[in-house]
Amino acid sequence: MPMTADNASPIDYNALVDAEAEALFLAASRYLKPEDVQLLRQAFITARDAHEGQTRKSGEPYITHPLAVATMLTDWRLDAQGLAAALMHDVLEDTGVTKPTLSDQFGRTIADLVDGLSKLEKLEYQTKETAQAENFRKMVLAMARDIRVIIVKLADRLHNMRTLDAMREDKRQRIALETLEIYAPIANRIGLNKVYRELQDLAFMHLHPHRYHVLSKAVRAARGNRREVVDKILKAVSQKLVEANIEATIKGREKNLYSIYKKMQEKSLSFSEVLDIYGFRIIVKDNPGCYLALGALHSLYKPIPGKFKDYIAIPKGNGYQSLHTTLFGPYGTPVEMQIRTREMNAVAEAGIASHWMYKSGHASIDAAKQRTHQWLQSLLDMQAESDDAVEFLEHIKIDLFPDEVYVFTPKGKIIVLPHGSTPVDFAYAVHTDVGHRCIAARVNHNLVPLRSVLRNGDTVDIITSTQTKPNPSWLNFVQSGRARSGIRNYLKSLQTQDAIQLGQKLLRQAASALSAFEPDITPELEEALLARLGERNRRFSDVLADIGTGKQLAAVVARKLLELSGQQAQQAALGPIAIRGNEGAAIHLSNCCNPIPGDQIVGIAKKDQGLLIHRGSCHNVQRVEAEKLLEVRWEAVKDRMFGVNISILAFNQRGALADIAAAISHASANIETVDTQDNHSQDGYIHIHFRLQVDNLQHLEKVLAQVQQVEVVQRAERR
């Protein structure tokens, strides 16, 4: 039996576990019915037996962890099903217990909660990042169905962070970083502020232990030095509120270490320069009392301009409501005041968890629940649009940033967006289709560029057009995960459509070459082909997309198609594929040789890249086996210009570049870029490289002839 220390009595872990279990049942019995407590006892026995023989890194029996998590949740008065799930949250992942067994014993709801809290350990992933992202996506889907999943998960993470010392350093660092990037922001997003602050501080302590201890020591010293100032402010505020006949509770509030550290980092301040590490919370009985208290405080100490925020009139995205004001206190010390009602304070401390703590239908609590539901719905929308778990996780991280901007629709509805958002973010927040069709925006009745940054209080009106579509450049400035997800998903669908169209061309060409008659592709023939290819769970359009992106060979699919239609395949020369150069994402004009209409061209199908078009003389084509080259020809191309590079050797004298540029312009070509390079081997000469836009080969030849006539030009050629 383990010993606590040298010559000390051994620890009786069985007695310890029984004592902790009884403490949990006692805490739960204060607000649950006897039959609910009995359910907890059954859940405890199931979890204890399942984890028999398992220990934590610290040496304690594993069951002490779920017991601690469940006990923590009694502070939030979580219901019996949630507490039972907390007790058994690791049994599916770490023991031989199955979900059907849990469902038979405790019902489907509890089994679903436990399943939502379990990782996808049995699946294999290429990287840890992918595994983390897939597990996170599973948890998000589960918490969208039942918010208790994330409540239990946060309590689980908080207890793990409190007991992280027993882990290896590299694992501590990884878990702490994940906590800081994902779980702390989620706690903030659903209003669990105490959990949010503690998770931040614990993660800070494990990521930067030396900085944490230095800062912790400095705060303790400052606490003693500033006690006189704090006491003076408390006394003055209490007296002022009594004079104004305002019944209030006043609490001192110290900023958490991580928020002080972040402020020092962001503003390049030393600790002595961070003056507002103390704040005060004033709790009154109703909304009018909040504004009366604000007036009383402003008559006591002068407010700092620009430091007042009314989160009562316009609540934060997680339902948080309060008045914030910063005052010039004694000795010029800035003092932050938060003024709120008891119900607002409940939401501020416990967020969505206040739903279980106060089931009396308070407006603030109901609003917090509704806003959390809206946020979860937006996560589901993003999940539906993203088939990549890692990308989905990145979108979520963006939306978890705490800074927000509050803007209005023309009808006065409030839209909450991440700090730095633009009209495009606003458009996607209204509806995905509005984002897709966004063409311009008015902010406060004035037309503004789509990349303009929105500010609190702006009224935004989006102008749409059925002819427009998302621009890839929007990804350079949008801030919200929803906008990023919507734009990327649309661009992917465009690429898929382009690949399908190219696949149809390639399949038709291959079928024509193998048979005198192109088969009529009926739904029955499509189904038979999918069966022959071993892809019953996919659609025919997926096969076409695979051909277009080079994952399937058109000739192989065409041969199977002909066999299934009863036609005899025969070898024949493939007819050339006609292209215009603007087909979209599935056909690319290669950058190595820049083919233009008039050039002899060939195609190379590359996996996941589609069809790459090269000039027949390109050095990259010479390396490719002849049977892998596809014959391609230009269709008649109108109203389209193509990029091409030319190189000019000219005598280096004043005005040479201007004369050459004028000649190019005279030949009706557009100059995209120009680059000059001294020619050290030929004194007095310079190499000039132009990137031009021309119509076709004939146009290029005309440009080169025009340039060659410039007096200073020695040689002009295509590069």
Side-chain angles (χ1 to χ4, degrees):
M1 190 172 287
M3 310 282 282
T4 54
D6 292 341
N7 304 320
S9 301
I11 298 173
D12 185 349
Y13 278 132
N14 290 333
L16 178 68
V17 168
D18 289 342
E20 288 180 0
E22 289 305 320
L24 166 65
F25 303 143
L26 179 63
S29 67
R30 294 190 180 109
Y31 67 94
L32 292 180
K33 297 174 184 175
E35 56 267 32
D36 290 335
V37 177
Q38 186 56 38
L39 173 70
L40 277 192
R41 289 184 180 276
Q42 292 173 7
F44 164 67
I45 292 167
T46 299
R48 182 195 63 194
D49 293 348
H51 290 297
E52 182 69 38
Q54 295 179 352
T55 58
R56 305 194 80 209
K57 294 288 184 184
S58 60
E60 296 173 304
Y62 193 85
I63 188 62
T64 57
H65 167 62
L67 269 172
V69 172
T71 303
M72 199 184 300
L73 292 167
T74 60
D75 292 340
W76 303 336
R77 294 178 173 264
L78 192 63
D79 61 10
Q81 290 181 327
L83 293 178
L87 282 169
M88 300 185 291
H89 74 266
D90 279 330
V91 296
L92 295 185
E93 193 177 314
D94 297 336
T95 75
V97 177
T98 63
K99 186 178 177 183
T101 303
L102 279 188
S103 192
D104 290 342
Q105 274 189 274
F106 296 97
R108 184 173 176 179
T109 300
I110 291 176
D112 283 344
L113 282 170
V114 176
D115 184 50
L117 289 157
S118 303
K119 293 178 185 173
L120 300 165
E121 294 287 7
K122 294 180 175 61
L123 300 180
E124 291 184 9
Y125 298 102
Q126 290 182 338
T127 64
K128 281 186 177 180
E129 289 75 17
T130 305
Q132 180 200 43
E134 288 289 359
N135 284 321
F136 180 75
R137 178 153 70 173
K138 177 177 184 274
M139 185 187 73
V140 165
L141 294 175
M143 80 181 191
R145 289 191 296 269
D146 194 326
I147 190 65
R148 289 174 293 187
V149 168
I150 195 58
I151 299 286
V152 175
K153 185 64 185 176
L154 287 170
D156 170 43
R157 178 52 61 117
L158 183 55
H159 185 254
N160 280 331
M161 289 299 293
R162 286 174 178 173
T163 56
L164 204 57
D165 286 330
M167 292 285 187
R168 289 195 322 265
E169 185 180 354
D170 61 324
K171 199 165 184 181
R172 285 204 308 270
Q173 292 267 323
R174 179 179 61 78
I175 293 171
L177 184 62
E178 182 185 61
T179 300
L180 203 56
E181 288 185 344
I182 298 174
Y183 291 101
I186 287 179
N188 182 45
R189 193 63 186 72
I190 64 174
L192 285 163
N193 282 313
K194 277 187 176 178
V195 176
Y196 166 58
R197 290 193 292 269
E198 188 176 351
L199 285 176
Q200 279 188 326
D201 279 355
L202 289 168
F204 175 37
M205 181 176 72
H206 289 291
L207 283 171
H208 305 291
H210 180 67
R211 296 178 200 179
Y212 176 88
H213 290 300
V214 168
L215 194 55
S216 178
K217 188 177 178 181
V219 168
R220 284 197 300 272
R223 192 182 297 152
N225 296 339
R226 299 180 190 181
R227 184 166 293 146
E228 182 187 341
V229 178
V230 172
D231 290 344
K232 185 174 182 177
I233 294 169
L234 269 173
K235 187 176 179 181
V237 169
S238 300
Q239 189 175 334
K240 193 67 181 177
L241 293 175
V242 169
E243 288 173 5
N245 292 319
I246 299 169
E247 185 184 327
T249 303
I250 307 168
K251 298 178 180 179
R253 183 182 66 86
E254 191 175 283
K255 286 194 173 182
N256 66 316
L257 288 179
Y258 184 71
S259 67
I260 296 171
Y261 170 67
K262 285 294 286 181
K263 186 167 187 177
M264 288 167 63
Q265 261 199 330
E266 288 167 4
K267 298 190 176 181
S268 300
L269 301 174
S270 65
F271 177 74
S272 61
E273 293 173 304
V274 182
L275 298 173
D276 56 339
I277 64 169
Y278 283 99
F280 295 88
R281 187 167 296 146
I282 297 167
I283 301 168
V284 298
K285 64 179 181 179
D286 54 24
N287 283 24
C290 293
Y291 293 96
L292 288 171
L294 178 72
L297 291 174
H298 282 189
S299 67
L300 175 65
Y301 298 123
K302 297 296 181 190
I304 297 176
K307 290 288 188 178
F308 169 67
K309 291 176 182 173
D310 188 342
Y311 292 121
I312 294 179
I314 304 177
K316 284 190 175 185
N318 58 13
Y320 175 90
Q321 288 184 290
S322 191
L323 296 179
H324 286 199
T325 185
T326 304
L327 313 171
F328 284 111
Y331 316 114
T333 305
V335 181
E336 187 183 78
M337 297 283 184
Q338 297 175 350
I339 310 166
R340 59 179 72 142
T341 65
R342 292 182 185 88
E343 293 80 17
M344 291 174 194
N345 194 54
V347 172
E349 290 304 309
I352 190 64
S354 58
H355 167 68
W356 286 278
M357 294 170 70
Y358 302 90
K359 293 192 176 180
S360 55
H362 291 304
S364 299
I365 294 167
D366 291 342
K369 189 178 177 184
Q370 184 182 357
R371 287 173 185 273
T372 300
H373 175 74
Q374 288 171 351
W375 177 61
L376 291 173
Q377 189 56 51
S378 75
L379 295 191
L380 285 181
D381 292 344
M382 276 193 274
Q383 144 67 22
E385 290 174 352
S386 180
D387 56 0
D388 184 323
V390 175
E391 186 179 284
F392 174 60
L393 178 56
E394 287 307 310
H395 295 329
I396 298 297
K397 283 182 182 179
I398 291 166
D399 269 7
L400 287 174
F401 287 135
D403 290 339
E404 295 168 330
V405 60
Y406 299 83
V407 293
F408 296 88
T409 67
K411 292 184 178 179
K413 181 184 175 185
I414 298 171
I415 301 285
V416 184
L417 297 168
H419 183 73
S421 287
T422 65
V424 176
D425 293 287
F426 177 91
Y428 278 97
V430 172
H431 197 278
T432 302
D433 286 343
V434 176
H436 287 346
R437 294 185 286 110
C438 170
I439 195 170
R442 287 190 182 92
V443 175
N444 304 326
H445 310 294
N446 297 315
L447 277 171
V448 299
L450 288 177
R451 65 186 308 128
S452 303
V453 175
L454 299 175
R455 291 177 172 79
N456 277 325
D458 283 346
T459 298
V460 186
D461 187 11
I462 299 297
I463 301 164
T464 60
S465 167
T466 54
Q467 305 303 313
T468 194
K469 59 187 178 183
N471 189 325
S473 67
W474 291 355
L475 290 169
N476 295 327
F477 58 78
V478 293
Q479 297 296 315
S480 65
R482 183 159 188 171
R484 285 185 174 277
S485 175
I487 295 164
R488 282 181 174 167
N489 184 58
Y490 188 90
L491 295 175
K492 280 181 185 175
S493 68
L494 270 187
Q495 290 169 349
T496 303
Q497 288 301 316
D498 292 340
I500 289 171
Q501 289 175 12
L502 176 60
Q504 283 175 325
K505 277 188 177 183
L506 293 172
L507 185 60
R508 192 179 298 119
Q509 180 211 40
S512 299
L514 292 169
S515 172
F517 304 99
E518 193 176 320
D520 180 23
I521 305 176
T522 61
E524 292 75 22
L525 188 55
E526 289 178 4
E527 201 170 316
L529 176 66
L530 290 170
R532 176 69 66 88
L533 293 170
E535 301 190 16
R536 291 179 184 274
N537 296 327
R538 301 182 78 206
R539 295 168 299 180
F540 183 62
S541 59
D542 295 330
V543 174
L544 292 176
D546 283 354
I547 295 171
T549 54
K551 292 177 183 176
Q552 292 258 26
L553 289 175
V556 173
V557 177
R559 191 175 291 278
K560 287 182 168 59
L561 204 56
L562 290 168
E563 289 171 8
L564 291 167
S565 65
Q567 295 187 37
Q568 186 66 39
Q570 59 189 27
Q571 195 62 41
L574 292 174
I577 303 166
I579 69 155
R580 296 173 58 83
N582 59 351
E583 281 79 1
I587 294 180
H588 306 275
L589 302 180
S590 65
N591 292 325
C592 55
C593 57
N594 297 297
I596 59 177
D599 285 330
Q600 181 192 355
I601 52 175
V602 295
I604 303 173
K606 284 282 186 76
K607 188 175 180 180
D608 293 332
Q609 293 183 43
L611 188 63
L612 300 181
I613 308 300
H614 291 262
R615 289 163 63 192
S617 59
C618 177
H619 65 279
N620 285 324
V621 171
Q622 315 307 320
R623 302 171 187 167
V624 179
E625 297 170 22
E627 58 268 23
K628 292 184 179 178
L629 297 177
L630 298 171
E631 191 180 343
V632 186
R633 67 173 175 81
W634 290 104
E635 267 187 324
V637 181
K638 293 181 180 178
D639 303 323
R640 168 88 203 275
M641 299 187 87
F642 296 81
V644 67
N645 297 318
I646 68 168
S647 180
I648 298 168
L649 181 66
F651 187 67
N652 191 4
Q653 67 177 44
R654 183 177 294 177
L657 184 58
D659 290 344
I660 295 168
I664 292 171
S665 178
H666 187 69
S668 302
N670 294 333
I671 299 173
E672 277 191 345
T673 62
V674 60
D675 180 39
T676 59
Q677 181 182 344
D678 285 331
N679 191 338
H680 299 295
S681 62
Q682 298 184 43
D683 291 338
Y685 285 88
I686 188 170
H687 270 301
I688 308 174
H689 303 301
F690 285 94
R691 170 79 176 175
L692 306 180
Q693 287 279 318
V694 298
D695 297 328
N696 49 41
L697 184 59
Q698 188 179 1
H699 186 196
L700 174 61
E701 289 170 350
K702 178 185 171 184
V703 172
L704 290 172
Q706 191 84 32
V707 170
Q708 195 70 59
Q709 292 176 23
V710 177
E711 188 177 343
V712 295
V713 173
Q714 180 76 13
R715 184 174 68 247
E717 59 191 3
R718 185 175 182 180
R719 204 153 54 90

